[in-house]
């Protein structure tokens, strides 16, 4: 259905549908719903937008995809992997303020399970919050 809309002249504009963002939208929607089907979508966004760890083109979209992945992995009880994905998102410095709550959800889950990585993840999150203020 969206194919007939076409691509916008200004894809960076957030209030226009951009078919190139459909994969990201799918990953985020499924992650918010707690659906494990979000994992392959999030991984594909990360793969497409960050070849060779270069996240310079769409850094916020890659950070968001890492949070989508982390939240999905939490639901699967794959906490080490969730922590790693959240850490990548947070340390990128590209987590939009509107997504801080999603990062914090991962931090709290990792802390609740008393994983060794929880202190580093909490520290990274605190630095992120301090930068945004």
């Amino acid at each position: 259905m969206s194919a007939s809309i076409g691509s916008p002249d200004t894809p960076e504009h957030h209030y226009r549908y951009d078919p190139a963002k459909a994969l990201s939208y799918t990953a985020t929607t499924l992650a918010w719903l707690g659906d494990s089907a979000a994992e392959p979508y999030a991984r594909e966004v990360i793969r497409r937008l960050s070849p060779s760890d270069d996240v310079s083109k769409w850094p916020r979209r890659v950070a968001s995809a890492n949070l989508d992945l982390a939240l999905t992995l939490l639901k699967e009880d794959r906490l080490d992997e969730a922590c790693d994905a959240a850490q990548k998102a947070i340390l990128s410095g590209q987590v939009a303020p509107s997504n801080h709550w999603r990062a914090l959800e991962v931090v709290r889950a990792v802390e609740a399970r008393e994983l060794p990585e929880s202190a580093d993840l909490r520290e990274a999150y605190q630095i992120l919050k301090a930068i945004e203020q």
Side-chain angles (χ1 to χ4, degrees):
M1 291 174 57
S2 65
S4 65
I5 296 172
S7 297
D9 295 332
T10 53
E12 67 281 354
H13 195 285
H14 295 290
Y15 298 103
R16 290 196 171 174
Y17 179 75
D18 179 358
K21 295 177 185 170
L23 192 64
S24 295
Y25 296 153
T26 302
T28 297
T29 300
L30 292 170
W32 279 347
L33 293 172
D35 190 329
S36 61
E39 182 180 352
Y41 291 100
R43 289 190 188 280
E44 182 63 16
V45 171
I46 294 164
R47 186 192 68 75
R48 284 185 186 181
L49 298 180
S50 59
S52 304
D53 294 326
D54 175 16
V55 295
S56 59
K57 186 169 181 181
W58 298 106
R60 287 209 168 178
R61 208 179 310 170
V62 173
S64 182
N66 272 299
L67 289 177
D68 294 335
L69 179 60
L71 290 167
T72 302
L73 293 169
L74 280 179
K75 300 291 184 194
E76 299 288 315
D77 204 33
R78 293 161 55 193
L79 297 178
D80 288 342
E81 292 176 84
C83 187
D84 182 59
Q87 186 94 355
K88 285 178 183 173
I90 293 168
L91 292 177
S92 75
Q94 296 296 324
V95 176
S98 60
N99 276 331
H100 285 188
W101 67 273
R102 299 174 75 218
L104 183 59
E105 187 175 331
V106 179
V107 171
R108 287 181 175 157
V110 170
E111 287 175 336
R113 297 297 274 282
E114 299 179 354
L115 287 176
E117 301 93 334
S118 65
D120 290 340
L121 191 59
R122 170 60 76 171
E123 181 180 348
Y125 177 77
Q126 297 295 44
I127 291 169
L128 174 72
K129 290 294 288 181
I131 291 169
E132 294 293 327
Q133 293 178 357

